[in-house]
Amino acid sequence: MATVNDPRRRTEDGARGPAAAATDLAAFAVALRRMNGEINRLVHAFAGDHGLHATDVQALAAILDADAPMTPKRLREHLGLTSGAVTACVDRLERAGHVRRVRESEDRRVVHLYYAADARSAARTYFRPLAEATEAARSRFTREELAVVLRFLAAMNEELGASADRDR
């Protein structure tokens, strides 16, 4: 059986050679798994150094990337956790100084979660190698190529999100 890196390997449509192999599904799967593994390595190291769980780091990313103030309910839905697990996660993050809970003045039942400013600088420092690797990789592509990469990543996130929604 030919491996993904074997230039003699045939793609789904029967094409052969390095160019065909570089764009087939298996090549994408390998590249995405490798990138995921490298990012997970950084996430687990950050979590371990800060007394957190890997899920806590996912929660931090969700809070940071949210387009509106994050609530515990939205965080629970995003992470696919129980309300008790999210409460424990937010408690750990708050104790470690990474997030703060803010009650809305209009309705005291509504709690918004914010990434603490001091924690942002710690995360930036820790994840600087990821930012530097991203910038180095970006520098090897044209603006047009990067636009295609971003479209692909957005489409992947959309598909994975739709898949997760169907599974719920």
Side-chain angles (χ1 to χ4, degrees):
M1 173 178 223
T3 66
V4 170
N5 298 320
D6 187 342
R8 296 167 297 163
R9 183 169 172 265
R10 287 186 184 265
T11 62
E12 296 97 15
D13 63 2
R16 282 187 179 215
T23 59
D24 77 349
L25 182 60
F28 273 85
V30 168
L32 289 169
R33 279 193 303 270
R34 286 181 180 166
M35 185 174 69
N36 187 54
E38 290 302 318
I39 291 171
N40 279 341
R41 184 179 52 78
L42 287 170
V43 164
H44 285 277
F46 178 82
D49 287 353
H50 289 88
L52 303 173
H53 299 275
T55 304
D56 299 343
V57 181
Q58 288 179 324
L60 283 173
I63 293 166
L64 180 65
D65 296 342
D67 53 0
M70 182 63 75
T71 64
K73 179 183 178 189
R74 283 184 53 221
L75 186 60
R76 178 183 60 77
E77 291 167 352
H78 178 79
L79 296 175
L81 299 175
T82 64
S83 58
V86 166
T87 298
C89 171
V90 172
D91 287 347
R92 280 190 302 273
L93 291 172
E94 191 174 41
R95 272 193 311 273
H98 289 280
V99 298
R100 54 189 181 83
R101 288 178 170 115
V102 177
R103 295 207 180 274
E104 285 300 306
S105 57
E106 299 163 5
D107 184 348
R108 301 286 296 155
R109 294 171 297 174
V110 177
V111 175
H112 287 158
L113 305 171
Y114 294 97
Y115 208 124
D118 293 346
R120 281 183 194 237
S121 78
R124 272 192 205 109
T125 299
Y126 204 92
F127 288 100
R128 184 166 286 128
L130 178 58
E132 289 169 351
T134 302
E135 190 53 37
R138 279 174 21 108
S139 72
R140 299 191 317 225
F141 295 88
T142 66
R143 290 178 71 82
E144 294 78 17
E145 290 171 323
L146 290 171
V148 172
V149 170
L150 284 174
R151 277 195 357 254
F152 172 77
L153 292 173
M156 280 293 298
N157 286 325
E158 183 180 307
E159 292 294 331
L160 290 170
S163 173
D165 289 344
R166 282 190 299 273
D167 292 344
R168 288 182 198 159

